[in-house]
Amino acid sequence: MLLFDSHCHIDKLSKVLSNNINNLIFFLKKNKIKYLLAVSVNMKNFFNILSMLSCINQNIIKLSCGIHPLYINKDYKNNLLYLKKNILNDKVIAIGECGLDYFNSNNLDKKKQIYVFNYHLYLCQKYIKPCIIHTRLSYTDTFNIIKNLNNRIFNIILHCYNYFDKYILYNFLNLGMYISLSGLITFKNNLNLQNIIKYIPIDRLLIETDSPYLSPHPYRGFKNNPSRIIFIIKKISILKKISYKNVLKNTKSNFLKLFNF
C-alpha cells in the first residue's frame, strides 16, 4: 500500500533532497510515499518551501502555513498579515504549525504565544482549514483556548503528541481533536507514551515523521526522512495489537478526510 507523511519540514531534509525538488519527488516515489504535507514554522520558512515547489508541477506535496511559537519574533504582527495573505495560496491546505510551547518561556513570551495562537485559530475558522498544533508543557492553556472557541467548524491535529496522562488525552479527544504520532513512540525509554497509545481511537489517529527530526528507532540520532514512516506504523501496530495494514488503512483515511488531498 502507498504511504503518506502528515508532517515534514522538506527544506530541512538532507542537502541531496532539500536542494533539488526533483530529487525529493524521485525519493518519495521510490519509497512509495504518495502524499506528503510540508509544514512551515515561520513565514521565511514557508516562502523557502513555496520556492522549492514553484518550478515543478506535482500532486504529492501540499503545504501548511504557520508560525511556530518558538519562532515568534518582534515583527510578529506583520508576519501575521503575511500569514493571512498566503494561506489563500492553492497549495496551502492547512494552517500551522502553531500553538504554545512553555519550555523556558516567561510570562511575556506566553502572552505573545497566546495572541499568535488565537490569530491562527481565527484564520482556521474564517477559511475552514485544519489546524496543526504544537503543544509543549502547555496543556491547560491549549485546552482552554480551544474549548472556548465558538462554533468551531475546522479540525485540529495535535502534532507529535507527547502527553502521558489519560485524563489529558480524553479531554482533547472529547473536543474532537486528532492525535498525530511521531518517531517518539519508538524510543525504548518512552514507555509512558507507548502506554497511552492504546487509548487513542483509530479513527482519530494520524502518523508523521516530523522529518528531519525525531528519527525513529533504530535510526535515532540520525537525520530523519519520510521513508521512515513505516517504523511508526509498525510500532503502532504492535502497541495497539492490530495489523500493519489496518493501521495504514485507517490513518490514511483520516489523513485524506482531514486534508482533502
Side-chain angles (χ1 to χ4, degrees), residues 23-75:
N23 286 348
L24 176 58
I25 296 295
F26 176 80
F27 174 84
L28 294 174
K29 289 181 177 179
K30 180 181 177 182
N31 287 280
K32 299 183 179 180
I33 308 289
K34 184 172 177 61
Y35 309 107
L36 184 145
L37 185 55
V39 177
S40 60
V41 295
N42 57 30
M43 294 313 300
K44 181 181 178 181
N45 177 224
F46 172 76
F47 292 135
N48 286 341
I49 297 171
L50 193 62
S51 177
M52 284 178 65
L53 299 178
S54 64
C55 61
I56 186 169
N57 183 22
Q58 54 80 36
N59 293 314
I60 295 177
I61 303 171
K62 299 288 186 181
L63 304 182
S64 182
C65 183
I67 301 172
H68 188 288
L70 297 184
Y71 285 82
I72 297 170
N73 59 28
K74 60 184 178 181
D75 197 32

Side-chain angles (χ1 to χ4, degrees), residues 5-177:
D5 185 353
S6 68
H7 195 112
C8 175
H9 302 278
I10 63 172
D11 62 319
K12 300 179 186 300
L13 297 175
S14 68
K15 290 184 178 180
V16 174
L17 299 179
S18 61
N19 283 358
N20 188 313
I21 189 62
N22 290 304
N23 286 348
L24 176 58
I25 296 295
F26 176 80
F27 174 84
L28 294 174
K29 289 181 177 179
K30 180 181 177 182
N31 287 280
K32 299 183 179 180
I33 308 289
K34 184 172 177 61
Y35 309 107
L36 184 145
L37 185 55
V39 177
S40 60
V41 295
N42 57 30
M43 294 313 300
K44 181 181 178 181
N45 177 224
F46 172 76
F47 292 135
N48 286 341
I49 297 171
L50 193 62
S51 177
M52 284 178 65
L53 299 178
S54 64
C55 61
I56 186 169
N57 183 22
Q58 54 80 36
N59 293 314
I60 295 177
I61 303 171
K62 299 288 186 181
L63 304 182
S64 182
C65 183
I67 301 172
H68 188 288
L70 297 184
Y71 285 82
I72 297 170
N73 59 28
K74 60 184 178 181
D75 197 32
Y76 67 95
K77 290 191 177 179
N78 282 330
N79 284 324
L80 291 178
L81 296 178
Y82 284 118
L83 172 70
K84 182 178 181 180
K85 179 180 177 180
N86 283 279
I87 61 170
L88 299 176
N89 188 297
D90 289 342
K91 292 185 174 69
V92 175
I93 61 172
I95 295 174
E97 62 184 286
C98 59
L100 305 174
D101 191 317
Y102 289 171
F103 186 75
N104 286 339
S105 292
N106 57 37
N107 287 333
L108 180 60
D109 289 335
K110 290 178 181 179
K111 287 180 181 178
K112 286 182 181 179
Q113 287 187 30
I114 289 171
Y115 178 89
V116 172
F117 183 31
N118 274 309
Y119 191 81
H120 281 79
L121 296 172
Y122 155 74
L123 293 177
C124 291
Q125 193 89 313
K126 182 177 176 66
Y127 297 106
I128 317 179
K129 292 194 176 187
C131 188
I132 299 171
I133 291 180
H134 170 103
T135 171
R136 185 184 188 198
L137 301 179
S138 56
Y139 155 71
T140 300
D141 282 350
T142 302
F143 175 77
N144 286 333
I145 287 169
I146 295 167
K147 180 183 177 183
N148 292 328
L149 286 173
N150 292 323
N151 302 315
R152 176 161 62 88
I153 54 174
F154 61 93
N155 288 305
I156 291 176
I157 300 94
L158 295 176
H159 137 74
C160 195
Y161 192 79
N162 197 30
Y163 287 110
F164 308 141
D165 192 315
K166 192 163 59 172
Y167 168 82
I168 290 176
L169 173 66
Y170 283 149
N171 279 343
F172 282 138
L173 291 172
N174 287 338
L175 289 183
M177 298 188 217

